[in-house]
Amino acid sequence: MAATLILHHYDLSPFSQKIRSQLGYYSLDWQSVRHAPMPPRSTLAQLANGYRRLPVAQLGADIFCDTQLIANEVIRLARGDEAARNSDVNEDHTFIAYLDGECFFQSLVATAPIPLIKTLLHHYSMGDVLRLLGDRARLLRRGAVMPPVPGIAARGLRKHLLDLDRRLGAQPYLAGDSPGVADFAAYHSLWFYCRMSARTLPTECAAVRRWYDSIVAFGEGGRSEISASEALAVAQTSEPRPLPQSQISDHRLGQWVSITPEDYAREPVTGKLVACTHSRWIVRVDSFALGVLHVHLPKRGYAIGLVDPEEMRTAV
Ligand SMILES: N[C@@H](CCC(=O)N[C@@H](CS)C(=O)NCC(=O)O)C(=O)O
């Protein structure tokens, strides 16, 4: 029986919303493990071996970092291997990267701070909200991306909404008659902006408003909550799935590597490189507590480097 997708996430996370809405569109059943909005996150540390961002998806002992890969796994679960392969090859990844990068930061910065803090205070204590804001400020300071200043963000967001409206025109979704990954990537930042600012989208963008409401209506599929220890038990009692058949050669296969996001939260995942396709790397992690895990990371937006095996021995 196919493993059920476990989504490690938190409710206010926009990138997690990208996946929750996609799960809703495909009416998939999934299991939810809710995490704190900032580290320490001990379960995530055990499963993803250094990757700090959310969401992370889990299928047995396979761990998927970044919504690029998670979205593809959701398509695989819903529509099969070939549909996932086609989406991997045919989606406009440059546009998706723009939506997840520049447009995401525009929406974040354009969100009015007072309603944002009010919404956060509905979910977390004042102390936690202050820690969260400090954590995100540090994360950006150490990152390689520079968010826009508020005036530029607001203008950028407006231009983006007009562009989306033009792209949608009379068609229901950016991808045509049914939503593709770009639709969910465009949606999550606007979801965050509307929800956190308690604002609606401008009336002049009628096509965007119609499109947005239709994605809201997908809901989030059949969600059931499980505990972090249940998710760890799933990893511990599962074997990683077979490695992909269509691989490409890489001189680092079989060696210790570290793979690090290039934009922000640049904490590396280390492990032995066991597979490499045109869009992903898979590293094997031998965990004392959980056994063998395969951690999947995307190639787009991530840097790979060799690690001295001696260093790894001393670390163990
Ligand atoms: N490129 C990543 C970005 C994920 C991301 O930035 N997630 C945010 C939450 S929405 C995050 O992890 N922030 C830092 C944190 O929560 O530790 C993806 O597509 O999954």
Side-chain angles (χ1 to χ4, degrees), residues 10 13-16 18 37-39 41 51-55 66-68 100 104 135-136 139 263-265 302:
Y10 59 94
S13 151
F15 280 92
S16 303
K18 175 178 176 181
M38 72 193 131
R41 298 174 177 131
Y51 184 78
R52 81 154 262 187
R53 306 196 285 199
L54 287 171
D66 201 290
T67 56
Q68 290 179 57
D100 280 346
F104 169 65
D135 173 71
R136 293 308 197 266
L139 183 125
D263 45 6
Y264 54 90
Y302 286 71

Side-chain angles (χ1 to χ4, degrees), residues 17 48 50 68 99 114 148-149 159 173 180-181 187-188 194 208 217 235 237 244 246 269 271 278 308:
Q17 188 58 41
Q68 290 179 57
L99 294 167
I114 294 183
V149 296
K159 193 161 158 275
Y173 298 101
V181 177
Y187 172 75
H188 74 85
C194 292
V208 178
T237 52
S246 60
V269 174
H278 82 277
D308 180 358

